[in-house]
């Protein structure tokens, strides 16, 4: 019997994307609200230019960071690696993926999402129990 994994919210963005700049505080607010749960948040910057400084500057707009940021300087295999996990990343950012405890993808979407929408999705994700 396989042990359940953590529910995960994956946020894919770039530092130069205007909508991502608007989305980042919403993601951080979700990370803050759910920091004492088993929700894992992966915020992955995929800046084409490979400048990690831009990403750091982007994140410094937030006073406190409640998620661990990741950075992919070379994204040539990024889309393919997501596709192997049935994630249909369409290069439209910001991109959100919600994965439940059974490692099933329950939501994939691109574009801006308000805190209220994210909160509702995460609450539903955390309430969802093992399907086995």
């Amino acid at each position: 019997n396989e042990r359940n994994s953590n529910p995960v919210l994956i946020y894919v963005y770039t530092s130069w994307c205007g909508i991502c700049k608007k989305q980042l505080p919403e993601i951080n607010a979700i990370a803050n609200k759910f920091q004492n749960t088993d929700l894992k948040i992966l915020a992955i910057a995929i800046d084409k230019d490979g400048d990690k400084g831009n990403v750091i500057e982007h994140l410094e707009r937030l006073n406190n960071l409640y998620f661990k940021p990741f950075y992919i300087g070379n994204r040539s295999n990024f889309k393919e690696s997501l596709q192997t996990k049935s994630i249909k990343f369409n290069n439209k950012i910001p991109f959100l993926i919600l994965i439940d405890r059974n490692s099933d993808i329950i939501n994939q979407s691109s574009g801006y999402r308000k805190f209220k929408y994210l909160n509702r999705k995460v609450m539903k994700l955390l309430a969802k129990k093992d399907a086995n």
Side-chain angles (χ1 to χ4, degrees):
N1 195 3
E2 204 176 299
R3 190 178 79 75
N4 291 342
S5 57
N6 293 76
V8 182
L9 183 156
I10 301 172
Y11 170 60
V12 180
Y13 69 99
T14 66
S15 64
W16 50 261
C17 158
I19 297 169
C20 299
K21 287 176 181 160
K22 189 178 169 187
Q23 184 71 73
L24 188 65
E26 309 278 0
I27 297 295
N28 201 45
I30 289 292
N32 182 14
K33 179 174 181 183
F34 295 100
Q35 65 183 319
N36 296 320
T37 69
D38 61 349
L39 177 71
K40 298 290 178 214
I41 296 183
L42 306 177
I44 305 169
I46 57 168
D47 286 40
K48 272 186 197 169
D49 59 14
D51 187 352
K52 198 171 183 176
N54 290 343
V55 175
I56 292 165
E57 195 177 300
H58 178 71
L59 294 171
E60 283 174 348
R61 295 166 196 264
L62 303 170
N63 293 330
N64 296 305
L65 207 58
Y66 292 98
F67 58 84
K68 185 176 180 185
F70 294 91
Y71 172 72
I72 296 177
N74 179 359
R75 61 183 194 169
S76 59
N77 297 327
F78 179 66
K79 189 174 179 180
E80 291 77 12
S81 65
L82 291 179
Q83 284 172 340
T84 63
K85 294 170 179 43
S86 301
I87 297 168
K88 295 168 182 68
F89 178 53
N90 53 13
N91 289 324
K92 292 181 182 167
I93 50 167
F95 188 71
L96 286 166
I97 307 146
L98 290 170
I99 302 171
D100 70 10
R101 289 181 172 84
N102 299 316
S103 301
D104 293 327
I105 297 159
I106 61 162
N107 191 8
Q108 302 180 58
S109 64
S110 54
Y112 177 74
R113 297 287 179 249
K114 291 183 179 179
F115 176 86
K116 194 173 173 181
Y117 171 91
L118 295 169
N119 185 60
R120 191 171 62 245
K121 291 287 186 186
V122 170
M123 293 287 280
K124 194 174 174 183
L125 178 70
L126 292 175
K128 190 172 188 236
K129 300 296 176 204
D130 183 7
N132 296 333

